[in-house]
Amino acid sequence: MKKRLLILVLVSMVSLTGFAYDEGMWLPLLLKKYNEADMQAKGFRLTAEDIYDINHSSLKDAVVRLGGGFCTAEVVSEDGLLLTNHHCGFGVVQQHSTVEHDYVTNGFWAYTKEQELDNEGLTASFLVRIEDVTDQVLKQLDDTMSETSRSAKLKTIFDKIQKDATKDTDYTGEVKNMFNGNEYYLFVYHTFKDVRLVGAPPSSIGKFGGDTDNWMWPRHTGDFSMLRIYCGKDGKPATYAKDNVPYHPKKHLNISMGGYQPKDYAMTMGYPARTDRYLTSYGVSMAIDQTAPTIVKIRTKKLAIIKEGMDGDKAVHIKYVAKYASTSNYWKYYIGQRKGLLRLKVEDQKQAEEKEFAAWVNSGDAKRKEKYGKVLGDFESLYKDWRTYNLGRQYLNEAIFQGAEILSLAMQCQGLADSLAVKGHKEDNIKEQATKLRKSAAGIYKNYDVMTDKKLLAGLLKMYRDDVPKDQQADYLGEIESKYKGDYKKFAEEVFAKSMFCDSVKYFKFLSSPDAKTLNNDPAFKTISAIYKNYTAKYRPIFTSLDQRLEKDNRLLLAGLREMKPTKKFYPNANSTMRVSYGSVLDYNGADAIHYNYYTTLDGIMEKADSTNEEFIVPAKLKALYDKKDYGRYADNGKIRTCFITNNDITGGNSGSPVMNAKGDLIGIAFDGNWEAMSGDIAFDTELKRCINVDIRYVLFIIDKYAGATNLIKEMTLVDEIKN
Ligand code: ARG
């Protein structure tokens, strides 16, 4: 009875505001206007200005974007110490690992600042301010423009706004479209370029549960790692130098030792990368039929090949472990997404919304009909056209451009080949290109295994050849097929025997004085160049035109939806800009008769422990701490809580985001979503969608009791001690 009642209440809330409050990735700039009252009603004890204020320090100053937004991190000390996820720091941990110093397996801890490790290319950006520049942008556009001239025009408008906004500063500006191109916002960033590795637990803690538990609750993963921002002595961003100093940020988060109760207010801030919440039923249907199964099929093959190499050789394991993890992450995501879309009948939901929209259009005046009358039909025909090319497009992305690395290395030389083909080309220019190519190749070779890559080339090229309509493929692939009678292993053997790209010595020798003949005769270059040329000449224009039609239709549809529901609070799709999501700590019912509690404990790690399964090995030291109940100040009623769930609305890019309580203090680090709601990037299911977080006290317990890195604990500001 009670349950049913709750559902009714939720449903009526959904219909009043469009959706329940826990859905939504809100722009910090607009919190005051749209969310503050709602947040406070839900228990938030601060104000919108405490989150976003451009004149005083606010929570936004403690949340950073890593790189271009692959993850989020939060500042937790005066000395620029950052917390993020283990899977966010995994790439740099892997880069520093060798068979002798295997930080991936054993973890890494800096007990002094001198021991921290530098990471070329890793950046951390603070958000300085956001500005609504919609009027400025829209007044320079008009509805009759073609999409091509619109995007060219937008580029010049953006460039000017970005330049003006950052003049005489060391900031960078980015104008982003919001609400599918109906609004535009400027984001100004301060980017730091010396970000060092401070600590990471062993994979048996940071990735406990591995791919089996990935995207699932209940979870017991200690998914955290630590970095530190350094700057020049003048306090300004600088690339790595030994005498750079720790950066003193405007704000760092307090760490709550007080824990949480069910229904407690919980909030995340971070950089969600991409959602498709306004996708039409036609888009959902294509995702189910084509996109997801294609990506899964290709990745299944890739993973099997890589695993074979990793299992046989420790050095190959270290080289491929991060590549394997990122490939498998979205392999499993797409399996779950497809299942979720089907199980939750998302296509039907979308059709119902479209029906409502069509009815609204038809009930309107001539102007409304004229503006919106065609948009649904346009979507239908767009997706019909798209389906013809979608398979080939997914294959190019997954199996070719991100397939065998010998092809990626060779493809990087396409520009060089073009320059060499120009009569009277400048030697300086060639040299410059060669230097860049060498640098990029060195990064690839560091984690390269010839045997594995050879199998990837044979396996993925065969799949591409077999599955993609032949008339969409480069003719050269037909020639290869007949020459080798469909034996791609033989083809790969020959490519690897003759190509310079699988041998750094040969390739670097070529780069020291590049010549067109060597390049054009290289079998890897020949293959990828044929594919690439076929793509640029015939298919890129088609893909661009499909994308433009989609953009136009999306823009129009969302404009219409907002007009149709003038009182509903809409939020824009995620696009790697800072968002706030608020809700509460909350359990859920996963399926009939299955109720999931809102937190897990160290007991569960011991229950899952399996020394014969790489994913579930428990380090002896952790077991010893557990046996002695040596929990220090980190236990909650005698137990170490490992992970907990909230109904915050997050997605990829949010990884590492702070989870804060009503006072803005850190209670956890967000790291995943749950299996029952994997279609969440397309449709948020209020009943099922949860955000999985590592409990901050588990993080502290590992740093302190497991790693003995008390130096790091001392730097942080711990508040609200729990009395056990
Ligand atoms: N699903 C997590 C995310 O996308 C990543 C977890 C990484 N772990 C793994 N086993 N691949 O944020």
Side-chain angles (χ1 to χ4, degrees):
M1 270 309 275
K2 259 194 176 156
K3 181 75 194 149
R4 178 62 63 85
L5 197 74
L6 179 72
I7 290 174
L8 280 176
V9 173
L10 273 176
V11 168
S12 56
M13 251 173 69
V14 169
S15 55
L16 277 182
T17 60
F19 38 73
Y21 63 86
D22 40 12
E23 174 175 356
M25 298 176 173
W26 306 98
L27 278 166
L29 177 70
L30 303 179
L31 289 175
K32 185 91 195 157
K33 187 162 152 201
Y34 290 128
N35 313 97
E36 188 186 52
D38 191 26
M39 293 167 98
Q40 289 168 344
K42 304 296 179 289
F44 186 44
R45 292 206 237 146
L46 306 175
T47 63
E49 288 84 359
D50 291 316
I51 296 178
Y52 176 85
D53 189 338
I54 54 170
N55 300 314
H56 304 97
S57 70
S58 55
L59 291 174
K60 75 148 173 66
D61 299 316
V63 179
V64 300
R65 180 169 88 166
L66 290 178
F70 70 92
C71 277
T72 303
E74 50 278 3
V75 187
V76 289
S77 92
E78 275 176 6
D79 276 344
L81 188 62
L82 297 177
L83 271 174
T84 184
N85 288 151
H86 181 263
H87 73 266
C88 297
F90 200 51
V92 301
V93 174
Q94 187 275 335
Q95 287 293 339
H96 289 292
S97 294
T98 58
V99 175
E100 296 75 41
H101 296 282
D102 185 356
Y103 301 136
V104 168
T105 307
N106 306 320
F108 169 82
W109 302 99
Y111 296 96
T112 62
K113 295 207 173 79
E114 289 68 40
Q115 293 172 356
E116 296 173 359
L117 301 173
D118 68 295
N119 304 296
E120 200 190 334
L122 182 61
T123 60
S125 300
F126 290 91
L127 174 65
V128 179
R129 65 190 167 86
I130 309 174
E131 203 181 307
D132 181 352
V133 293
T134 307
D135 293 344
Q136 209 177 326
V137 173
L138 289 187
K139 74 173 186 231
Q140 300 182 66
L141 302 173
D142 74 73
D143 279 348
T144 61
M145 276 174 154
S146 72
E147 287 301 298
T148 307
S149 29
R150 184 182 167 103
S151 59
K153 181 81 190 163
L154 280 174
K155 196 178 167 316
T156 33
I157 301 173
F158 288 4
D159 282 349
K160 172 140 178 35
I161 295 177
Q162 288 161 188
K163 224 162 119 201
D164 290 350
T166 54
K167 209 167 141 238
D168 303 324
T169 69
D170 56 354
Y171 297 160
T172 47
E174 268 175 36
V175 178
K176 290 281 208 172
N177 99 53
M178 296 284 167
F179 299 103
N180 295 351
N182 287 291
E183 294 183 17
Y184 293 88
Y185 288 75
L186 165 73
F187 293 78
V188 176
Y189 295 104
H190 201 197
T191 296
F192 287 78
K193 300 169 183 140
D194 181 358
V195 181
R196 302 188 193 171
L197 177 64
V198 174
S203 290
S204 52
I205 291 175
K207 212 181 158 203
F208 183 77
D211 292 325
T212 305
D213 279 6
N214 191 17
W215 299 111
M216 285 182 171
W217 180 256
R219 195 66 159 276
H220 299 83
T221 312
D223 200 340
F224 78 97
S225 63
M226 305 181 85
L227 304 165
R228 190 190 304 281
I229 304 177
Y230 281 77
C231 59
K233 288 215 169 75
D234 55 1
K236 298 226 164 80
T239 49
Y240 172 80
K242 199 166 179 309
D243 56 357
N244 279 351
V245 294
Y247 175 64
H248 299 303
K250 278 194 243 169
K251 172 108 189 156
H252 71 269
L253 297 182
N254 288 334
I255 305 223
S256 167
M257 297 291 288
Y260 42 80
Q261 301 294 326
K263 307 228 163 58
D264 274 0
Y265 180 86
M267 168 174 90
T268 66
M269 293 173 72
Y271 284 90
R274 196 192 139 96
T275 52
D276 230 336
R277 294 276 164 79
Y278 305 102
L279 190 68
T280 58
S281 62
Y282 310 103
V284 172
S285 157
M286 188 173 84
I288 293 173
D289 298 348
Q290 277 191 334
T291 311
T294 305
I295 295 176
V296 171
K297 182 174 176 190
I298 301 168
R299 289 191 177 214
T300 303
K301 181 95 195 161
K302 273 193 212 174
L303 289 167
I305 293 171
I306 298 176
K307 186 156 185 342
E308 207 176 81
M310 284 169 73
D311 284 349
D313 184 332
K314 179 115 204 267
V316 177
H317 192 278
I318 292 182
K319 286 175 175 177
Y320 280 77
V321 69
K323 291 188 241 191
Y324 187 90
S326 62
T327 307
S328 83
N329 192 30
Y330 275 84
W331 162 78
K332 194 165 174 186
Y333 169 94
Y334 280 106
I335 294 174
Q337 184 200 60
R338 184 167 185 278
K339 281 192 173 160
L341 289 171
L342 289 168
R343 201 183 55 249
L344 300 174
K345 300 196 172 27
V346 174
E347 195 180 335
D348 294 354
Q349 288 174 34
K350 297 280 180 179
Q351 272 170 4
E353 283 165 27
E354 284 152 19
K355 240 177 145 171
E356 189 190 349
F357 181 74
W360 173 77
V361 174
N362 286 329
S363 68
D365 55 12
K367 211 173 125 218
R368 185 191 292 172
K369 284 185 187 137
E370 150 100 45
K371 187 165 180 195
Y372 300 114
K374 287 215 301 271
V375 67
L376 289 174
D378 285 348
F379 269 113
E380 189 175 354
S381 63
L382 164 65
Y383 278 99
K384 211 167 140 254
D385 295 345
W386 201 330
R387 277 171 177 262
T388 314
Y389 302 103
N390 185 38
L391 194 74
R393 189 180 199 177
Q394 298 302 334
Y395 259 95
L396 276 177
N397 278 339
E398 288 280 332
I400 304 292
F401 298 147
Q402 296 177 73
E405 284 170 297
I406 193 169
L407 294 185
S408 321
L409 282 159
M411 196 167 96
Q412 293 178 352
C413 281
Q414 186 62 55
L416 182 69
D418 295 344
S419 305
L420 288 168
V422 178
K423 270 215 174 88
H425 55 258
K426 296 230 168 14
E427 279 314 311
D428 282 1
N429 171 278
I430 300 291
K431 271 218 169 92
E432 201 179 302
Q433 290 189 51
T435 311
K436 283 194 191 140
L437 287 168
R438 174 188 277 268
K439 196 167 170 210
S440 145
I444 296 179
Y445 289 133
K446 186 169 177 295
N447 295 309
Y448 189 68
D449 176 57
V450 168
M451 284 281 283
T452 303
D453 206 42
K454 198 190 287 179
K455 286 188 214 153
L456 284 171
L457 179 66
L460 296 176
L461 203 64
K462 176 167 174 12
M463 260 185 137
Y464 177 75
R465 187 68 194 155
D466 289 350
D467 290 1
V468 173
K470 297 273 187 298
D471 62 356
Q472 292 183 21
Q473 300 185 24
D475 295 340
Y476 186 65
L477 295 184
E479 292 170 30
I480 292 175
E481 188 170 72
S482 358
K483 185 168 167 203
Y484 293 89
K485 304 200 175 53
D487 186 346
Y488 286 88
K489 276 197 189 128
K490 201 165 155 211
F491 168 70
E493 282 299 342
E494 260 194 56
V495 169
F496 274 75
K498 294 194 180 136
S499 171
M500 62 180 164
F501 290 103
C502 52
D503 181 338
S504 61
V505 178
K506 277 195 201 151
Y507 181 37
F508 288 166
K509 186 160 165 260
F510 161 79
L511 284 178
S512 63
S513 114
D515 69 284
K517 196 164 158 237
T518 310
L519 187 54
N520 292 324
N521 283 331
D522 188 282
F525 184 74
K526 264 180 155 157
T527 308
I528 193 64
S529 184
I531 297 175
Y532 184 72
K533 283 187 178 147
N534 181 57
Y535 158 70
T536 46
K538 290 203 213 140
Y539 294 99
R540 193 162 59 189
I542 295 176
F543 299 162
T544 307
S545 126
L546 292 168
D547 289 346
Q548 287 177 343
R549 284 167 65 188
L550 179 69
E551 232 175 85
K552 186 168 177 207
D553 295 345
N554 274 341
R555 191 164 69 233
L556 194 59
L557 179 63
L558 190 50
L561 288 171
R562 293 171 90 189
E563 213 175 299
M564 176 170 95
K565 296 188 175 170
T567 55
K568 173 175 163 172
K569 291 180 208 161
F570 283 82
Y571 61 90
N573 268 322
N575 58 0
S576 290
T577 56
M578 188 188 274
R579 303 300 175 87
V580 174
S581 157
Y582 57 99
S584 52
V585 175
L586 203 62
D587 55 0
Y588 71 107
N589 296 314
D592 188 32
I594 298 179
H595 171 257
Y596 286 118
N597 200 10
Y598 65 99
Y599 69 91
T600 56
T601 69
L602 213 43
D603 294 355
I605 295 191
M606 302 308 150
E607 284 168 10
K608 285 180 176 175
D610 177 355
S611 59
T612 65
N613 181 345
E614 194 200 8
E615 297 183 326
F616 293 95
I617 290 171
V618 176
K621 180 146 186 211
L622 187 61
K623 174 86 169 59
L625 290 167
Y626 174 75
D627 288 341
K628 281 189 289 184
K629 302 282 169 282
D630 184 4
Y631 296 159
R633 50 206 281 219
Y634 308 112
D636 187 323
N637 280 311
K639 302 244 184 227
I640 290 285
R641 290 192 182 188
T642 42
C643 298
F644 66 102
I645 46 175
T646 55
N647 62 2
N648 293 123
D649 187 358
I650 66 155
T651 187
N654 266 117
S655 282
S657 292
V659 185
M660 292 167 278
N661 64 15
K663 294 191 295 179
D665 297 337
L666 193 66
I667 52 173
I669 310 171
F671 72 92
D672 214 354
N674 60 323
W675 194 245
E676 296 80 4
M678 290 294 286
S679 42
D681 286 343
I682 293 172
F684 185 101
D685 189 290
T686 310
E687 291 285 301
L688 291 174
K689 192 164 158 48
R690 294 295 177 269
C691 168
I692 304 178
N693 317 299
V694 54
D695 189 306
I696 200 64
R697 295 162 301 173
Y698 182 48
V699 171
L700 298 177
F701 165 73
I702 295 296
I703 298 172
D704 184 347
K705 290 285 173 177
Y706 180 85
T710 44
N711 53 310
L712 301 174
I713 303 279
K714 278 192 198 124
E715 267 192 70
M716 301 185 220
T717 313
L718 275 42
V719 297
D720 291 338
E721 194 79 40
I722 268 201
K723 309 263 178 308
N724 278 318

